[in-house]
Every structure is written in C-alpha cells, then in structure tokens.
Amino acid sequence: MTLHLYFARKFLKNFLYVFFVLFAILTLTALIEQIRRFGGFDDAGFGTLLVLAFLSVPEDLYKVLPLIMILATVSMVLGLARSSELVVTRAAGRPALESLIAPVLLAFLIGVFAVAAMNPIVAATQRQHEAQVARLSGASSTLSVTADGFWLRQGSREGQTVIRASSSNLDGTSLFDVTFLGYAPDSKPTYRIEAERALLVPGAWRISGAKEWRFDTGAPIPEVESVEMQEMVLASNLTRDQILDSFGTPSAIPIWELPAFIARLDAAGFSARNHRTFFHMELALPLLLTAMVLVGAGFTMRHTRMGRTGLMVMTALGLGFLFYFIRNFVAVLGENGQIPIIMAAWLPPIAILLLPLALLLHLEDG
C-alpha cells in the first residue's frame, strides 16, 4: 500500500507540473491572439484582453488533457527509471504492471473529476468568452432552446432582432409559427412581426403569412396601422452556418444539463446528434486518460541503460497524438451518422487501452 501511495504521489506531482506549465503557455498564447484580434478596438484595454485570454484557456486546457496525461506518465516513468526505482521494485518481486495500478487509478479519478467539475467550468468560461467577444465586435447571434420552442437573436450596432419559433427544420433555416421582435440601439421596440413561416435566404428572411406592427411611427395604437402581408422580406445578416454555430458547441453546455438540452433540441425539431456524440465522448474521457497512462508507460518503462530512451519517448508521444487524432476522426464519423454514436465514443478509448496493455504484458511477461 505504501508503494502504491508513493507512485500515486509521484504521478500527481508530475501531472500538476505539466498542467501548470501548459496553463502558462496557453495563457500567453491566448493573450497574444486576443491582442492581435481586438488590439485595435477602443474599448479593449489590456485588462479586458487579459480577461478574454483567461476565459479561453480552460477550454484549450481541457482539450489537451490526454496530452497532459501522457506527458506526466513519461516524466514519471523516466524519473523512476533513472533513479533505478523500477529496478528495485522488480527485484522486490513486484511486476511492472502492478506498479502502474496507482497511476492508472489516479488517472481515472482525474478523468471523473474533469468530467464532473472541470466540464461545467469550461462551459461557463466559454459562454462568458463568447459574450465578451460579441460585446466587443458589436455583432451577435445567440440561440436558446426552451420548452416553448427556441429563441434566436440577430443584429449589430444598428439594432437587434429577437426571433421566436415553435419549431424548425434541422438546420434552423425554416421556421414555423415565428415571431420577430425588432429593437433599436437604445433598446426601444421598433416592430413586431408574427408569421406562419420564415425561410432564410441569402441576406434576408422570406416570411409567409405575416402581420406586422410598427412601434416607431408614433401611432398611439399600433393595431390600427398594422399590416397583413402574404409575403414579405426582412433583412438579415445570418447564415445557415451562423445559426448552427449559435447553438454553441456542445462543450459550452455543462454535462449535467446536456441530456435536458438534447431533449429540447429534439422537441424543437433540430438534430442533436453532435450533442449526443459529445455527451458519450465526455463519459468515456476517464477511460481515455487511463489509456494514455498505459501508452506513455508502455514505451518508457524500461531501464535507461538499455538505450534509445529518446526514441521510445518520441514513439510514445507520437502514438498518443495518433490515437487522439483517430479518436476525433471517429467522433466526426459519429456526428455525421456514418457509424453509431456509442461505437464512435467508446470504441477508440477501449482500443487505445487494450493496445498498450497487450504491449506491456508482452514486454513484462513475454
């Protein structure tokens, strides 16, 4: 038990060291990017840009958790090999795989903590970052799905339009039972349009079965000057891709709220396949981080006197990147519906786990 605690402490120390080093590097990189992107804006001071950088770092750090895990494993194993602690452990009758029990369990617990706690933090900071970017750029397009349908906001510095629809097609370009609410830059209402259907075409909404009320004409009773039109066109700067992006990436939704959000998407008529794939990939993250520990240990858990240490380290890192790319590629196949979601989310971590495990069993037990 004492030996397991020792290895767990060594692994955690290396993990935290790599984590904070990458945090510093990503923060500096994000700050440079924010300066390049918003440095010319009058209301974007250094403090604002620094806040934007800090808000973007958690998402980037969360994405590279598998890389952090494999770097921490390689660092720990090389340190144990140089100090001959692995040799002493083997001489005491403990197999190499038994020495990995503590790091593997700790990696799994870190993965559970990341999904349960870090995921909501990333979602919150990502939403705040998007809100700050929209404020600085003066243009925003935000979509919210509720039990009553969904709400979409479009606009710029000249004004905003809030759109509510009971249902839509899969990509949000055709809305049914829709209401448009227009607001001036000073937040005063300017018009209201209720329609049976609205179709997004380049540069405008093509509205059918509409009735319009104007609030900026000075009329005491807008109903008196209301107009009913079979067809009308309302200018819009939205595109299909912007509407899909307005859902926010699934990572912008805390995992605890994701099942309910998926249900609301289904009720509103949208496809929730991307969000379902992301949900299952998040659930499989602890297994992936555990697999990365075995990948890092499989090529470096040898005495340094055997030579080719650098080659083994590069091989472990290269395979880690390759496995991470394959996982993301399979996830894209799942999002596109080419393979089942469960297979896309769970098969890569299981395969990544079994391959280095087989290698370790072969090297250690023949």
Side-chain angles (χ1 to χ4, degrees), residues 86-321:
L86 287 178
V87 176
V88 174
T89 302
R90 287 189 177 96
R94 288 183 177 269
L97 282 176
E98 189 174 340
S99 303
L100 291 176
I101 291 178
V104 164
L105 288 178
L106 189 57
F108 185 84
L109 292 177
I110 290 174
V112 172
F113 175 80
V115 173
M118 193 172 177
N119 176 281
I121 293 174
V122 170
T125 56
Q126 188 173 346
R127 289 198 301 268
Q128 286 296 321
H129 181 266
E130 292 174 353
Q132 291 291 334
V133 169
R135 181 183 64 82
L136 289 175
S137 61
S140 62
S141 170
T142 304
L143 185 147
S144 175
V145 181
T146 67
D148 299 325
F150 73 94
W151 298 78
L152 178 66
R153 187 176 74 246
Q154 67 177 34
S156 63
R157 296 184 184 273
E158 285 72 33
Q160 301 284 330
T161 301
V162 176
I163 306 169
R164 189 209 68 84
S166 297
S167 60
S168 76
N169 61 348
L170 293 179
D171 58 7
T173 57
S174 183
L175 311 180
F176 304 94
D177 188 17
V178 58
T179 301
F180 294 85
L181 299 173
Y183 295 89
D186 58 0
S187 299
K188 292 183 178 179
T190 56
Y191 65 86
R192 173 175 177 170
I193 300 172
E194 292 189 0
E196 299 175 359
R197 181 182 178 185
L199 178 65
L200 182 64
V201 297
W205 288 101
R206 184 174 296 163
I207 304 173
S208 305
K211 183 176 182 179
E212 181 182 18
W213 294 265
R214 301 295 306 191
F215 307 121
D216 54 355
T217 60
I221 304 177
E223 177 66 28
V224 175
E225 298 184 358
S226 63
V227 180
E228 294 187 11
M229 291 170 282
Q230 192 62 32
E231 297 284 343
M232 68 175 296
V233 176
L234 181 67
S236 174
N237 57 3
L238 286 178
T239 65
R240 173 183 176 274
D241 292 338
Q242 286 176 329
I243 291 179
L244 293 177
D245 291 341
S246 294
F247 284 105
T249 58
S251 60
I253 305 170
I255 191 169
W256 304 109
E257 301 175 9
L258 202 52
F261 185 82
I262 291 172
R264 292 198 297 269
L265 282 181
D266 290 334
F270 291 103
S271 172
R273 192 173 186 89
N274 288 1
H275 295 75
R276 284 194 177 91
T277 303
F278 176 80
F279 179 70
H280 283 280
M281 289 183 66
E282 287 296 286
L283 295 181
L285 181 63
L287 194 62
L288 176 67
L289 298 186
T290 301
M292 287 300 176
V293 172
L294 294 178
V295 171
F299 291 89
T300 57
M301 208 168 188
R302 55 207 298 275
H303 201 282
T304 55
R305 293 180 181 177
M306 297 178 65
R308 299 189 300 173
T309 301
L311 178 61
M312 293 295 101
V313 170
M314 294 304 298
T315 302
L317 294 178
L319 283 177
F321 280 109

Side-chain angles (χ1 to χ4, degrees), residues 323-334 336 338-339 344:
F323 290 151
Y324 187 71
F325 170 78
I326 292 175
R327 173 180 179 259
N328 291 338
F329 177 74
V330 175
V332 172
L333 296 180
N336 293 335
Q338 298 180 13
I339 60 175

